[in-house]
Amino acid sequence: MDGQATASWWRRRNWWKIGFFVMLLLAEFAREWAVIASNETARIAVSASMVSVGDYTVASGRWQRTDGGGSLTPSATQIECFESEGRCRESNVTVIDNGVGAPDTSTYQATFSPEAINYENNDPVCARYSVRMDRKLEKVFALRQRKPDTKDQACNQLENRIEMALSDGWTNDDNTFDSHFVPVMRGLIAILSVFK
């Protein structure tokens, strides 16, 4: 008798209606996921790090401004320094409009001390980059200064001075949810924030 009551309860349900609403919810979640994934902010998956082993020092990250100015073009950077050779090799990969550019690698003469490794990139037409790898802080800093004596008119559009540091590449865009209609994800975040 008990088994018949259970079977009749199961038969009385309109499972197709429940399935319809579950599929509708999953389709909305997939739409919202696609909206968030197609956000135009470029994401660089690189962590800031600096490691020294013997005469070899390597650092990686994404250049982020430390002077409070506007954001820089997203790029992933790796710097390798060889004290025995007195040089550093800097490699950059730039992302523009969510397209990845070709790697750019250059080698520079560097000065080494127990506190820091310093080198200067004077290759660009408009600017000079002074890079300092601080061994005590295990951080990399750079200063970009516009060259005052260039005759190229495009150089006048550059800021005079930008201070930056190698930081984690994965940055969160806090207004992603504000600029898109994503009610299901907002609800899930609100529920999950209760359990923190």
Side-chain angles (χ1 to χ4, degrees):
M1 188 76 171
D2 200 71
Q4 288 176 345
T6 304
S8 65
W9 182 87
W10 280 103
R11 285 190 201 140
R12 286 185 285 164
R13 303 289 148 235
N14 289 326
W15 292 108
W16 70 271
K17 289 180 183 177
I18 295 169
F20 174 77
F21 285 107
V22 167
M23 292 302 292
L24 192 63
L25 185 66
L26 289 175
E28 174 60 18
F29 183 78
R31 182 199 68 82
E32 292 179 15
W33 187 275
V35 165
I36 298 300
S38 68
N39 191 22
E40 294 195 18
T41 303
R43 311 249 181 195
I44 309 294
V46 63
S47 297
S49 66
M50 181 173 161
V51 178
S52 291
V53 178
D55 78 332
Y56 176 73
T57 302
V58 63
S60 62
R62 172 183 173 176
W63 290 115
Q64 299 277 9
R65 288 185 75 154
T66 57
D67 59 4
S71 61
L72 300 172
T73 303
S75 66
T77 300
Q78 181 171 4
I79 302 169
E80 297 176 292
C81 295
F82 306 89
E83 190 167 359
S84 59
E85 300 172 15
R87 62 181 176 87
C88 290
R89 180 174 54 227
E90 182 176 324
S91 301
N92 295 292
V93 175
T94 304
V95 178
I96 298 175
D97 293 331
N98 290 330
V100 179
D104 175 38
T105 302
S106 299
T107 303
Y108 308 101
Q109 291 300 315
T111 58
F112 294 80
S113 70
E115 293 82 29
I117 301 169
N118 295 290
Y119 68 90
E120 201 167 271
N121 173 1
N122 204 18
D123 295 340
V125 174
C126 297
R128 176 177 30 266
Y129 293 81
S130 301
V131 179
R132 177 181 172 84
M133 301 174 72
D134 193 307
R135 290 179 163 171
K136 291 183 179 178
L137 294 176
E138 294 183 349
K139 289 188 177 268
V140 182
F141 304 97
L143 172 66
R144 185 188 87 182
Q145 292 179 297
R146 186 175 74 192
K147 293 178 181 176
D149 53 354
T150 63
K151 294 178 176 65
D152 191 342
Q153 292 300 319
C155 297
N156 294 333
Q157 297 176 9
L158 287 180
E159 292 181 51
N160 286 330
R161 178 185 171 97
I162 293 179
E163 295 176 21
M164 53 191 149
L166 276 185
S167 305
D168 288 336
W170 192 269
T171 57
N172 293 324
D173 186 5
D174 293 336
N175 27 344
T176 299
F177 290 104
D178 296 337
S179 58
H180 298 291
F181 181 68
V182 287
V184 173
M185 287 196 174
R186 284 179 195 253
L188 283 174
I189 289 173
I191 291 169
L192 293 174
S193 66
V194 170
F195 296 107
K196 281 188 178 180

